[in-house]
Amino acid sequence: MSHQHLEQLAAPTPGSDLAKALLASVQERGIFINGEYSPASNGQTLDTCDPATGQVLARIANASEADIDRAVAAARAALNGPWATMTPLERSALLIRIAEKIEAHIDELSELEILDQGKAWAVARWAEIPAAANQFRYFAGQAMTIEGRTITTSVNYQPEGKQVQAWTVREPVGVVAAITPWNSPLVLTAMKLAPALAAGCTVVLKPAELTSLSALRLCELMHEAGLPTGVLNVITGDGRTAGAQLAAHTGVDKVAFTGSTATGRAVVAASQSNLKCITLELGGKSPAIVLPDADLELAIPGVANGIFFNGGQVCVANSRAYIHRSVFDQVIEGIVAYGSGLKLGHGLDQSTEMGPLVSKGQADRVMSFIEGARRDGASVLCGGEQTGPNGTFIQPTVITGTRGDMPVHCEEVFGPVLVAEPYDDIEEAINWANDSEYGLAGSLWTQDLSSAQRLSRQIKAGTIWINTHSMFDASLPIGGMKQSGYGRESGQVAMDNYLEWKTICAVV
Ligand code: NAD
């Protein structure tokens, strides 16, 4: 085990001068509406902490209802400003400049994300921040592909000598409320902003209260890149007040929400105020199925990484593994060795492989699942302890001997906790995989591609990976079936989230 140095974590204010400067100034800047910073109108703030140490990094504004009204009004007005007349080519060029800004500030954005969320350096610097830039690059292309259709109708009652012509055009949905969670703040924000702006919408962004810093910095960079005033407004604050008010606001045309299934339900209820459109990217309990012929050199690190990456705080994490009995011991031994060998620490130490969870509350919640599994008679094969100076680190944990109805087996834990069980025949494994209220993702590990192809159609989930897990790209649609939500982000289809169809039918 290489977790011993955690106790030596002091409470420094680490980070570059730029990141420190942002931390120092974020309080004065507050929320961002119509191109200007202001404090919350009620003067309220919320602490945002470094989860590794518990140290307060900054105080962010806790927006009031009046602030939300102002932000929505700014976004509405901007729909009719210079933004409305920008050509697709101009919007595309702007999105490219935003991608370049992110790339030019990649170290600083990585540091902010590490300090605020607890990520390991490599996760932020080499995976998530580059992926955020790629979202803007990809949707820069999509901005230039918006097309309607001409339609040949069967209408035959037009006046003598006239004909009916009909066509469709695509128009921006309007004002978008983008509400994001704390696990991968910047990339999940980019997954909403890039297609919304490519489509010509305007946005009020509400980042998660635990991790708002990178969104505030991104907003600045986007304006430096030339985003017109009012097109993006950022409201920080508590989800149950600011988030709920934004989701219910009748001036909002669409909510693009990523977060837990419970909050997703509240967003659906709030949308009834004006029947706004919504897309929901919610929770998951994704299975990995390891077949007897799997290439174990790929499968062992692949399944381990699929649950331990970002401390398991990944919506698509493979938190369940169903492994053929003939290879179960070997695979489990490998995953246990992988997890036990991970170096836990502060993400700014570049040798750290797994950081803390986002908060003490989240670590306590994950720990309660592990304790519940122990009480229910399951076996904890590695990890299973809460540690670190702030109690926010959870050791990579592998549990077996569970039943399908145990909370650790059927609920979203959102931590580095794998439930692994042996199966005898593949139908049994597929049934277990589908025995979930969630349907976000899954993976199949086998060298037999024709069975993989067949089985991939039998699992009810938005994404199935074969011989990999959590492989993302801006071109690949991602989203859930069942209670993992509806709608897709990334890929061409994501443009549909932000565009209406309008039919025009003329007698000419
Ligand atoms: P959360 O649901 O608690 O919060 C998400 C966002 O909603 C935050 O900004 C929060 O302030 C806001 N919010 C809270 N209450 C609200 C309300 N009543 N109305 C409107 N907004 C409200 O989720 P979280 O704990 O921040 O994130 C973890 C969850 O996100 C996990 O369940 C995870 O699976 C999910 N997630 C899903 C995906 C996906 O693509 N499917 C991706 C990442 C995370």
Side-chain angles (χ1 to χ4, degrees), residues 179-183 188 206-209 237-240 243-244 247 257-261 263 266-267 281-284 315 412 414 440 484:
I179 304 180
T180 54
W182 46 253
N183 57 322
L188 294 173
K206 212 301 279 171
E209 48 273 52
D238 184 48
R240 285 155 306 174
F257 174 80
T258 301
S260 63
T261 296
T263 310
V267 168
E281 301 286 335
L282 308 177
C315 53
E412 185 180 48
F414 225 54
L440 192 51
S484 291

Side-chain angles (χ1 to χ4, degrees), residues 99-176:
E100 288 168 351
K101 278 280 178 193
I102 294 173
E103 285 156 356
H105 292 268
I106 199 160
D107 288 340
E108 175 198 339
L109 288 165
S110 301
E111 280 184 27
L112 281 178
E113 205 84 314
I114 291 163
L115 287 170
D116 211 12
Q117 204 278 333
K119 288 182 191 305
W121 172 261
V123 171
R125 174 63 181 79
W126 299 110
E128 295 193 2
I129 310 299
N134 287 345
Q135 286 283 329
F136 286 98
R137 285 195 183 282
Y138 178 82
F139 285 102
Q142 293 298 318
M144 292 191 292
T145 65
I146 300 169
E147 293 175 347
R149 296 178 187 151
T150 54
I151 299 172
T152 309
T153 72
S154 302
V155 176
N156 60 3
Y157 51 82
Q158 68 273 19
E160 184 77 24
K162 301 275 187 184
Q163 39 170 299
V164 172
Q165 286 187 2
W167 62 96
T168 53
V169 292
R170 309 226 59 194
E171 295 182 351
V173 167
V175 174
V176 173

Side-chain angles (χ1 to χ4, degrees), residues 13-26 29 57-58 105 107-115 213 217 348:
T13 308
S16 69
D17 289 345
L18 262 173
K20 279 185 196 163
L22 178 69
L23 294 179
S25 65
V26 72
R29 297 188 194 190
L57 293 167
H105 292 268
D107 288 340
E108 175 198 339
L109 288 165
S110 301
E111 280 184 27
L112 281 178
E113 205 84 314
I114 291 163
L115 287 170
L213 299 182
R217 183 67 181 124
L348 288 178

Side-chain angles (χ1 to χ4, degrees), residues 433-485:
N434 283 329
D435 184 19
S436 171
E437 65 192 34
Y438 295 113
L440 192 51
S443 58
L444 293 158
W445 298 82
T446 172
Q447 300 189 65
D448 176 355
L449 279 186
S450 73
S451 17
Q453 211 168 345
R454 178 177 55 84
L455 296 170
S456 67
R457 303 300 299 274
Q458 293 179 15
I459 302 174
K460 199 163 171 59
T463 296
I464 300 295
W465 287 287
I466 298 170
N467 296 328
T468 185
H469 199 102
S470 297
M471 185 172 276
F472 293 104
D473 188 73
S475 65
L476 296 175
I478 184 97
M481 297 183 185
K482 301 199 269 186
Q483 293 185 43
S484 291

